[in-house]
Amino acid sequence: MSNSQIPFLPFTKPTIDEATIAAVGEVLRSGWITTGPKNAQLEKTLSDYFGGRPVRCFANGTATMEIALRIAGIGPGDEVITSPISWVSTSNVILTVGAKPVFVDIDPVTRNIDLNLIEQAITPATKAIMPVYLAGLPVDMGYLYRIADKYHLRVIEDAAQALGSSWQGNRIGAASPLRSDLVSFSFQANKNITSIEGGCLVMNTEEEAILASKYRLQGVTRTGLDGMEVDVLGGKHNLTDVNAVIGLHQFAKIVEVTAIRHELAKHYFASFAKTSLVALGLQLPVADFANSNWHMFQVVLPIESLENKGSNRADIMQKMKDQQIGCGLHYPIITQFTLYRELGYDPASTPHAKRVGKAILTLPLFAQMTNADVERVVVSLENALLSALK
Ligand SMILES: *Cc1c(COP(=O)(O)O)cnc(C)c1O
């Protein structure tokens, strides 16, 4: 079979069933298509899932994080400690509210912020820590909140990728018995659970939820039949009922979808064990089947060996593409972007993140994949790496 006859395997693909499509039709015919009863139902469903904590939905995960920062009162003059290996929206929203992102290096094994390095980055201006749970793998939540409590810092968890993840048996986003402050999730199309675009924020109090609703829609509070007041500057960040009904149908399958991802990830480990890839210097993700929702299966390439042969990650991605396999890039180090360099940031100050940003590669993982697909990815990666290192 020539390569062009093998179906292309993308790195991810949403699963939208017929019931979801029918439900979208119902919303469109209902006469109420923007934020309404489906949004309220999604918020109630999520609040139940998070142990009764207040939840508000937003148009996307980026708006969710920006509003979390505003609720925490973070603005000009404040510093927020975060990870340089994330989707750039994490630090962009810190800049958007006028605060300063402070990047702490990652742990090269988990690829999440290295909690051991946070305390030395705290200054009198530090107001919050914004950890990112890359690929759905949480940080040590007990340790994170011990640091936050010791220095009286807010925590805004960028849990965009971590819906369905947990820490020691407790859902990420649920407060008890763990501490948890503001937790932001995304329902963007590539996430495990999608509403096409969307996000939600889990909060501590009804006061925070009221503020979230104001920031979501122009700062408006309505009372009675004709009362309207505006006392904060809000934006336009509401989730439509069309998106919300998709989210409801998707969310109903969270347990099933997470279990499928776990099985596929386990099959990746079993398949890698039959190859020479680890001996060649390929780094696999942490084999965590207790906490992670396996949002992604990411490897770190032996980048120094590749560079010695005049090769690099793009070369490997091309060799995978030639074998009809799509890989993702999550993520280049944020501090190498021009916007951040011009603000004075330097990738060299976070060496592990600098290396991982050049070498990390996301392999295909989505619910419709089969074990045979996983095996094809692993064999293709072995072919790609062996030919690049030849
Ligand atoms: C997806 C994602 C976001 C942003 O979510 P959007 O819904 O795309 O705005 C933020 N942080 C991380 C780590 C993400 O993966």
Side-chain angles (χ1 to χ4, degrees), residues 143-164:
Y143 188 6
L144 170 70
Y145 277 94
R146 276 198 301 283
I147 300 168
D149 290 343
K150 181 172 169 192
Y151 294 92
H152 307 288
L153 303 176
R154 297 301 298 263
V155 178
I156 292 131
E157 300 179 32
D158 181 352
Q161 303 182 357
L163 191 61

Short mmCIF file of all heavy atoms in Angstrom, two decimals, residues 143-164:
data_model
loop_
_atom_site.label_atom_id
_atom_site.label_comp_id
_atom_site.label_asym_id
_atom_site.label_seq_id
_atom_site.Cartn_x
_atom_site.Cartn_y
_atom_site.Cartn_z
N TYR A 143 1.28 20.53 47.86
CA TYR A 143 2.48 21.36 47.86
C TYR A 143 2.15 22.76 47.31
O TYR A 143 2.52 23.79 47.89
CB TYR A 143 3.55 20.65 47.03
CG TYR A 143 4.94 21.24 47.05
CD1 TYR A 143 5.29 22.31 47.87
CD2 TYR A 143 5.93 20.70 46.23
CE1 TYR A 143 6.58 22.82 47.87
CE2 TYR A 143 7.23 21.20 46.22
CZ TYR A 143 7.54 22.27 47.04
OH TYR A 143 8.82 22.77 47.02
N LEU A 144 1.42 22.79 46.18
CA LEU A 144 1.05 24.07 45.56
C LEU A 144 0.33 24.98 46.56
O LEU A 144 0.67 26.15 46.73
CB LEU A 144 0.15 23.80 44.34
CG LEU A 144 -0.53 25.01 43.71
CD1 LEU A 144 0.49 25.90 43.01
CD2 LEU A 144 -1.61 24.57 42.70
N TYR A 145 -0.67 24.42 47.23
CA TYR A 145 -1.48 25.27 48.13
C TYR A 145 -0.76 25.57 49.45
O TYR A 145 -1.05 26.57 50.09
CB TYR A 145 -2.87 24.65 48.33
CG TYR A 145 -3.78 25.05 47.18
CD1 TYR A 145 -3.92 24.22 46.07
CD2 TYR A 145 -4.43 26.28 47.18
CE1 TYR A 145 -4.72 24.62 45.00
CE2 TYR A 145 -5.23 26.68 46.12
CZ TYR A 145 -5.37 25.84 45.03
OH TYR A 145 -6.15 26.24 43.98
N ARG A 146 0.21 24.72 49.83
CA ARG A 146 1.03 25.08 51.01
C ARG A 146 1.83 26.34 50.70
O ARG A 146 1.93 27.24 51.54
CB ARG A 146 1.96 23.93 51.39
CG ARG A 146 1.30 22.88 52.28
CD ARG A 146 2.31 21.99 53.00
NE ARG A 146 3.22 21.26 52.10
CZ ARG A 146 2.88 20.16 51.41
NH1 ARG A 146 1.66 19.67 51.48
NH2 ARG A 146 3.75 19.56 50.64
N ILE A 147 2.40 26.41 49.49
CA ILE A 147 3.16 27.61 49.11
C ILE A 147 2.21 28.82 49.06
O ILE A 147 2.50 29.89 49.61
CB ILE A 147 3.85 27.44 47.73
CG1 ILE A 147 4.82 26.27 47.75
CG2 ILE A 147 4.56 28.74 47.32
CD1 ILE A 147 5.33 25.85 46.37
N ALA A 148 1.06 28.65 48.41
CA ALA A 148 0.11 29.76 48.27
C ALA A 148 -0.33 30.27 49.63
O ALA A 148 -0.38 31.48 49.87
CB ALA A 148 -1.10 29.30 47.45
N ASP A 149 -0.64 29.35 50.53
CA ASP A 149 -1.12 29.76 51.86
C ASP A 149 -0.02 30.44 52.66
O ASP A 149 -0.27 31.43 53.36
CB ASP A 149 -1.69 28.55 52.62
CG ASP A 149 -3.00 28.06 51.99
OD1 ASP A 149 -3.61 28.84 51.22
OD2 ASP A 149 -3.41 26.93 52.27
N LYS A 150 1.20 29.92 52.55
CA LYS A 150 2.32 30.50 53.30
C LYS A 150 2.56 31.97 52.91
O LYS A 150 2.86 32.80 53.76
CB LYS A 150 3.58 29.66 53.03
CG LYS A 150 4.84 30.13 53.75
CD LYS A 150 5.96 29.11 53.56
CE LYS A 150 7.30 29.67 54.04
NZ LYS A 150 8.43 28.81 53.61
N TYR A 151 2.38 32.28 51.62
CA TYR A 151 2.66 33.65 51.14
C TYR A 151 1.38 34.44 50.85
O TYR A 151 1.44 35.52 50.26
CB TYR A 151 3.56 33.60 49.90
CG TYR A 151 4.95 33.07 50.21
CD1 TYR A 151 5.23 31.71 50.08
CD2 TYR A 151 5.95 33.91 50.67
CE1 TYR A 151 6.49 31.21 50.39
CE2 TYR A 151 7.22 33.42 50.99
CZ TYR A 151 7.47 32.06 50.85
OH TYR A 151 8.71 31.58 51.17
N HIS A 152 0.24 33.92 51.25
CA HIS A 152 -1.06 34.58 51.03
C HIS A 152 -1.27 34.95 49.56
O HIS A 152 -1.58 36.11 49.23
CB HIS A 152 -1.19 35.82 51.94
CG HIS A 152 -0.94 35.49 53.37
ND1 HIS A 152 -1.84 34.76 54.13
CD2 HIS A 152 0.12 35.73 54.18
CE1 HIS A 152 -1.33 34.58 55.34
NE2 HIS A 152 -0.15 35.16 55.40
N LEU A 153 -1.07 33.97 48.70
CA LEU A 153 -1.23 34.19 47.26
C LEU A 153 -2.52 33.55 46.77
O LEU A 153 -2.94 32.51 47.29
CB LEU A 153 -0.05 33.58 46.49
CG LEU A 153 1.34 34.06 46.89
CD1 LEU A 153 2.40 33.29 46.10
CD2 LEU A 153 1.49 35.56 46.67
N ARG A 154 -3.13 34.16 45.78
CA ARG A 154 -4.24 33.52 45.08
C ARG A 154 -3.67 32.46 44.14
O ARG A 154 -2.53 32.58 43.69
CB ARG A 154 -5.06 34.53 44.25
CG ARG A 154 -5.75 35.61 45.04
CD ARG A 154 -6.73 35.08 46.06
NE ARG A 154 -7.87 34.32 45.52
CZ ARG A 154 -9.08 34.80 45.28
NH1 ARG A 154 -9.33 36.07 45.51
NH2 ARG A 154 -10.05 34.01 44.85
N VAL A 155 -4.47 31.44 43.84
CA VAL A 155 -4.09 30.46 42.82
C VAL A 155 -5.16 30.48 41.74
O VAL A 155 -6.35 30.34 42.03
CB VAL A 155 -3.96 29.04 43.42
CG1 VAL A 155 -3.61 28.03 42.32
CG2 VAL A 155 -2.91 29.02 44.52
N ILE A 156 -4.72 30.73 40.52
CA ILE A 156 -5.63 30.63 39.37
C ILE A 156 -5.12 29.44 38.57
O ILE A 156 -4.07 29.50 37.94
CB ILE A 156 -5.64 31.93 38.55
CG1 ILE A 156 -6.32 33.01 39.40
CG2 ILE A 156 -6.43 31.75 37.25
CD1 ILE A 156 -5.58 34.27 39.48
N GLU A 157 -5.84 28.33 38.68
CA GLU A 157 -5.38 27.09 38.05
C GLU A 157 -5.76 27.13 36.57
O GLU A 157 -6.95 27.20 36.25
CB GLU A 157 -6.01 25.87 38.73
CG GLU A 157 -5.66 25.75 40.21
CD GLU A 157 -6.32 24.54 40.88
OE1 GLU A 157 -6.52 23.51 40.21
OE2 GLU A 157 -6.64 24.63 42.08
N ASP A 158 -4.75 27.07 35.69
CA ASP A 158 -5.04 26.90 34.27
C ASP A 158 -5.23 25.40 34.05
O ASP A 158 -4.31 24.67 33.69
CB ASP A 158 -3.94 27.46 33.38
CG ASP A 158 -4.28 27.29 31.89
OD1 ASP A 158 -5.29 26.62 31.59
OD2 ASP A 158 -3.54 27.82 31.04
N ALA A 159 -6.47 24.98 34.32
CA ALA A 159 -6.85 23.56 34.16
C ALA A 159 -7.54 23.36 32.82
O ALA A 159 -8.35 22.44 32.66
CB ALA A 159 -7.74 23.14 35.33
N ALA A 160 -7.19 24.21 31.84
CA ALA A 160 -7.82 24.15 30.51
C ALA A 160 -7.82 22.73 29.96
O ALA A 160 -8.78 22.31 29.30
CB ALA A 160 -7.10 25.08 29.54
N GLN A 161 -6.74 21.98 30.24
CA GLN A 161 -6.60 20.63 29.67
C GLN A 161 -6.98 19.55 30.67
O GLN A 161 -6.84 18.37 30.35
CB GLN A 161 -5.13 20.43 29.22
CG GLN A 161 -4.67 21.49 28.22
CD GLN A 161 -3.25 21.27 27.74
OE1 GLN A 161 -2.56 20.36 28.17
NE2 GLN A 161 -2.81 22.13 26.83
N ALA A 162 -7.44 19.93 31.85
CA ALA A 162 -7.52 18.95 32.94
C ALA A 162 -8.93 18.60 33.41
O ALA A 162 -9.11 18.10 34.52
CB ALA A 162 -6.68 19.44 34.12
N LEU A 163 -9.94 18.81 32.56
CA LEU A 163 -11.28 18.36 32.96
C LEU A 163 -11.28 16.83 33.01
O LEU A 163 -10.92 16.18 32.03
CB LEU A 163 -12.33 18.88 31.97
CG LEU A 163 -13.79 18.72 32.41
CD1 LEU A 163 -14.08 19.48 33.69
CD2 LEU A 163 -14.73 19.18 31.30
N GLY A 164 -11.65 16.28 34.16
CA GLY A 164 -11.62 14.82 34.33
C GLY A 164 -10.36 14.33 35.01
O GLY A 164 -10.25 13.16 35.35
#
